[in-house]
Amino acid sequence: MELRVERTDRSGDSTIGKLYVNDQFECYTLEDVERPVKIKGKTAIPAGRYEVVINQSQRFGRLLPLFLNVPNFEGVRIHPGNTAADTEGCILVGETKSEGSIGQSKVAFERLFNKLKAASETEKI
């Protein structure tokens, strides 16, 4: 399974994009701002290709998708949230978007998570 994030809208504290699963639009994303130099908890991950696994998040107390081998980052996950205040370098997902925020995040996350969990049993993400 291949995930692709296309970053489309940038504001002062967030970056909104579109998430595609195998080239099919899935949902909107919200990340921190892209920066040339990383600022802890306030920077989007560098553009690139990363493997994603499903494992237990100690912070959230549940299974979540985790990005592997992101340069200068640890613990980058996909999880629910609505604004830049809800992310520290992770990718948030939502059904709707507006300037600086996404909505219906839990609905979008659960739908995406079910697809990722099923795929992770038979293929790499």
Side-chain angles (χ1 to χ4, degrees), residues 47-104:
R49 290 183 63 86
Y50 304 104
E51 184 175 350
V52 176
V53 297
I54 307 294
N55 71 1
Q56 184 70 21
S57 166
Q58 296 304 313
R59 180 176 178 184
F60 291 95
R62 66 166 290 181
L63 292 173
L64 289 176
L66 173 70
F67 289 83
L68 300 180
N69 303 313
V70 179
N72 302 312
F73 286 75
E74 290 183 16
V76 177
R77 296 194 178 269
I78 299 173
H79 62 83
N82 302 105
T83 68
D86 300 326
T87 181
E88 293 181 358
C90 293
I91 297 178
L92 310 178
V93 294
E95 290 285 293
T96 62
K97 70 170 186 158
S98 58
E99 188 172 334
S101 69
I102 55 175
Q104 298 178 1

Side-chain angles (χ1 to χ4, degrees), residues 29-49:
T29 62
L30 187 140
E31 304 173 75
D32 285 317
V33 176
E34 299 168 272
R35 301 175 193 277
V37 177
K38 181 181 184 315
I39 298 173
K40 183 174 173 54
K42 295 183 180 281
T43 305
I45 65 173
R49 290 183 63 86

Side-chain angles (χ1 to χ4, degrees), residues 2 7-8 14 16-17 19 22 26 39 50 56 66 69 72-73 75 78 83-84 90 94 101 103 106 108-109 115 117:
E2 183 164 302
R7 294 169 173 161
T8 59
S14 66
I16 291 180
L19 175 71
N22 295 331
E26 177 72 20
I39 298 173
Y50 304 104
Q56 184 70 21
L66 173 70
N69 303 313
N72 302 312
F73 286 75
I78 299 173
T83 68
C90 293
S101 69
K106 289 180 182 177
F109 176 79
K115 290 179 181 179
K117 182 118 173 55

